[in-house]
Amino acid sequence: MEKKDKEKLIEKFFDGTISSEEEQELKKLIKEDASVKEAIQFQAALKKTMHEEDDMAWRKKFTEYEKEFSTVKRKEFPLIKYAAIVGFLVGLLISILWVIYRDNSTMKLYQAFYTPAENISYPLTRGIKMSLSIWLFQLMKKVIMKEPFHI
């Protein structure tokens, strides 16, 4: 088989367009001819290197883009970050001062809203007979209302 035919078979193998008959012929050539085996190994190493270099080129481009965009974001938003931190600290300070200085005396609250119940019409007692406390209460009521009373 001529050298050009061998090269065409190797190209078809790497392109993926080789038929099953041609593949059997290539396997036979690899067993018989060491130069074909070396050519296939060379093509495989070349393809792998090109793929790795292509990957490295893309990775380099992406890292450049990433650096470009990340530096823009860092320069664009530091004021908002500092404003948020200052706002948080001011809120924290106000909360702490409110807890410390608020008037939490329950007695003052009780005195501000407590009004004694006015029970001047009759005393709360049990039973039917008139006790001394009821008689005194009615007497006091007449005195306050400036009504005449009999003892």
Side-chain angles (χ1 to χ4, degrees), residues 58-74:
W58 279 106
R59 286 180 189 170
K60 187 176 179 182
K61 281 185 182 181
F62 282 127
T63 53
E64 288 174 4
Y65 289 139
E66 190 177 67
K67 285 179 184 176
E68 181 180 329
F69 287 118
S70 65
T71 56
V72 169
K73 288 182 180 177
R74 286 185 202 147

Side-chain angles (χ1 to χ4, degrees), residues 102-115:
R102 70 181 170 142
D103 186 20
N104 58 356
S105 171
T106 55
M107 189 52 98
K108 287 182 183 177
L109 184 65
Y110 178 76
Q111 289 173 350
F113 291 101
Y114 175 74
T115 54

Side-chain angles (χ1 to χ4, degrees), residues 134-145:
I134 294 174
W135 185 78
L136 286 174
F137 180 77
Q138 288 177 350
L139 180 65
M140 191 102 130
K141 182 180 174 184
K142 289 182 179 183
V143 168
I144 290 173
M145 300 291 189

